[in-house]
Amino acid sequence: MTQRQSWLEGWRLLAVLSLSLIALSLWIASMRLFEVEGVRMVIRFTARSSLLLFCLAFSAAALARLWPNAWTRWQRRNRRYLGLSFAASHAIHAVAIVAFARMDPAGFAQATSAASFIFGGIGYGFIIAMSATSFDRTAALIGPRTWRALHLAGGYYLWFQFMVSFGKRVPAMPLYAAFLVPLLIVMTLRMIAMARHPRGQTVAAG
């Protein structure tokens, strides 16, 4: 376990996760011969992979504070790369959405709304800004205070967007409530960690 964690670190972790997401997305789309239903399956898959990676990054600092051990130290040490992997997952998600829009304009119009464009666009704006400032040089350019404000606001906005995106499907598909559980858990962990360590709390989303 320790050897695997020490090997799967940093940029190697990002490369493995990103390539795996690309390969899985292509495989899922191929199951429906790269037609509309296959693209929609990729949209659903990447929404869930993004949720998982976001929760891992968003909870990293809190878990390392509350339960320091080999796993949480690895998670905290690699939260930047988990955050970038989340961005890669959501980039694939965006490509699949564009493909859906081009392949089935009527179905796409029925599945989306003006609100989804606005709030989704804001979310992607945060993802791009947070990813761009997840490197030492760009983080230094904007300064620690601005970096913290950006990543804090972005992390909480994305958390809220996930809650809304999955939560609005619960009335029609109650099983979607299961996706809200990890979001509520990571927020609870952050609140507990913040209460115990009120100073120096930083977002773990990139």
Side-chain angles (χ1 to χ4, degrees), residues 122-146:
I122 294 171
Y124 271 103
F126 271 122
I127 291 170
I128 292 168
M130 293 165 71
S131 298
T133 55
S134 289
F135 304 90
D136 293 339
R137 184 171 295 180
T138 50
L141 283 175
I142 65 172
R145 182 173 296 181
T146 303

Side-chain angles (χ1 to χ4, degrees), residues 92-175:
I92 300 169
H93 186 70
V95 170
I97 289 174
V98 171
F100 175 35
R102 297 190 66 168
M103 295 170 70
D104 184 9
F108 178 75
Q110 187 177 7
T112 56
S113 65
S116 66
F117 280 106
I118 294 169
F119 293 108
I122 294 171
Y124 271 103
F126 271 122
I127 291 170
I128 292 168
M130 293 165 71
S131 298
T133 55
S134 289
F135 304 90
D136 293 339
R137 184 171 295 180
T138 50
L141 283 175
I142 65 172
R145 182 173 296 181
T146 303
W147 183 93
R148 184 178 183 275
L150 169 63
H151 284 250
L152 194 66
Y156 283 110
Y157 179 86
L158 292 169
W159 178 88
F160 177 76
Q161 190 176 31
F162 272 120
M163 286 290 295
V164 172
S165 296
F166 284 100
K168 69 183 182 182
R169 291 171 170 79
V170 171
M173 293 173 283
L175 287 177

